[in-house]
Amino acid sequence: MRILFIGDVIGKPGRDVVAAELPHLKESLGLDFVVLNGENAAHGFGITRAIASEFFAMGVDCITTGNHWADQKEILSFINDEDRILRPRNFPPQTPGRGANLFQTRSGERILVINAMGRVFMDPLDDPFASVDAELNACPLREAADAILIDMHAEATSEKMAMGHFCDGRATAVVGTHQHVPTADAQILPGGTAYQSDAGACADYDSVIGMDKFQPVQRFLTKLSTGRFSPATGPATLCAIFIESDARGLASRIEPVRVGGRLKETLPVVQAGGKLRQP
Ligand SMILES: [Fe+2]
Ligand SMILES: [Fe+2]
């Protein structure tokens, strides 16, 4: 199975680069399933029904989120009926929405997507490790799912790496989000799980983690939170992670994807006939 995981989409520049690049990435990489983190899609804060519909129309199959999942209050009116949008699984059990769901790809394969959130330097939540463990036990790889992807939305790289090793051999991929900068540690862990600490964002990188740089710099200079943050408006880079799984549901390949905007482009090399060249 070929999966593309797209990092946090920041406002309109992020949505525009996804709209511009996703259709031909789907085609050239032969994607079976596309997951996108949409927690910052609505002007940097949360996601609306209209924006989610745009993503689905572009070919996104599942939208994960994070600490900003409910910034747009309208999501509370539809998240219980929209099972393609996930919020972190380890919110208290009474929270609307769901943190995991089993999907079917166009070719009929089953993929479980789990969204979890870290607790280091973040709001206190239930234990993300116990939460992910419960989902993996309820829907084991190979028996109940042909692939399993976990979006670990966290501030601390250590917590994300620990989640990668905790799931190694039981999931196809553990990918990190929330930091908005892609990390250079894409690898397949010893047990066969693909891992990258942060997918990066779909954002203008002439910014402070996707936001117009003026207000964040002022906030560091003065320690006053006066001005509002809004997304930087220059051309965005699409940051994503390409993962291919084998017959065991484990990863045979992981490669970063960066296209558009200021960051240096990197793409899996596709040969004639749709075959991917081994890195
Ligand atoms: Fe984010
Ligand atoms: Fe976040």
Side-chain angles (χ1 to χ4, degrees):
M1 192 186 303
R2 291 177 177 181
I3 305 160
L4 189 71
F5 180 86
I6 302 172
D8 305 38
V9 176
I10 318 284
K12 186 157 191 314
R15 304 197 312 266
D16 286 349
V17 78
V18 176
E21 303 294 345
L22 183 56
H24 70 84
L25 286 174
K26 277 191 91 154
E27 182 79 31
S28 62
L29 299 176
L31 299 176
D32 298 298
F33 201 75
V34 178
V35 183
L36 170 150
N37 187 303
E39 71 150 8
N40 308 106
H43 207 62
F45 300 93
I47 187 165
T48 62
R49 188 194 284 266
I51 290 172
S53 301
E54 279 175 31
F55 287 139
F56 294 135
M58 289 173 203
V60 171
D61 299 296
C62 170
I63 297 174
T64 56
T65 58
N67 52 310
H68 290 292
W69 77 272
D71 284 359
Q72 302 292 325
K73 295 299 167 225
E74 68 166 81
I75 196 170
L76 299 174
S77 69
F78 66 85
I79 193 156
N80 279 333
D81 307 316
E82 178 48 87
D83 62 8
R84 294 172 294 178
I85 301 180
L86 306 180
R87 49 109 176 118
R89 163 74 166 69
N90 50 320
F91 269 68
Q94 302 86 338
T95 312
R98 62 190 61 68
N101 197 12
L102 186 66
F103 297 84
Q104 237 181 33
T105 68
R106 278 160 285 276
S107 58
E109 290 184 294
R110 304 157 300 173
I111 175 168
L112 173 69
V113 183
I114 307 171
N115 195 182
M117 193 168 124
R119 298 188 293 185
V120 178
F121 309 128
M122 299 188 93
D123 284 345
L125 285 175
D126 293 347
D127 178 359
F129 293 87
S131 190
V132 167
D133 196 45
E135 290 294 339
L136 294 177
N137 288 334
C139 184
L141 191 60
R142 288 178 292 278
E143 287 166 44
D146 301 299
I148 298 177
L149 181 131
I150 297 157
D151 174 354
M152 176 61 173
H153 193 82
E155 189 74 53
T157 304
S158 57
E159 199 175 14
K160 299 194 236 193
M161 280 193 171
M163 183 61 83
H165 290 293
F166 180 68
C167 299
D168 190 17
R170 295 194 291 163
T172 314
V174 174
V175 296
T177 55
H178 178 71
Q179 290 172 316
H180 295 184
V181 179
T183 57
D185 61 342
Q187 59 175 307
I188 297 174
L189 300 175
T193 297
Y195 175 80
Q196 184 173 322
S197 292
D198 206 284
C202 299
D204 172 10
Y205 276 81
D206 179 17
S207 67
V208 174
I209 60 169
M211 293 293 164
D212 183 274
K213 57 198 174 189
F214 181 78
Q215 286 298 345
V217 172
Q218 289 308 305
R219 195 173 290 191
F220 280 109
L221 293 177
T222 64
K223 298 307 290 176
L224 296 172
S225 40
T226 44
R228 270 178 62 87
F229 285 8
S230 59
T233 54
T237 304
L238 180 146
C239 289
I241 304 172
F242 173 76
I243 300 137
E244 192 166 33
S245 66
D246 62 18
R248 302 166 303 159
L250 296 171
S252 53
R253 185 171 182 133
I254 175 168
E255 284 194 61
V257 172
R258 291 189 294 275
V259 57
R262 302 173 67 84
L263 300 192
K264 189 170 189 287
E265 182 168 298
T266 179
L267 283 166
V269 177
V270 184
Q271 293 174 315
K275 275 201 133 173
L276 291 167
R277 195 165 76 201
Q278 287 308 313

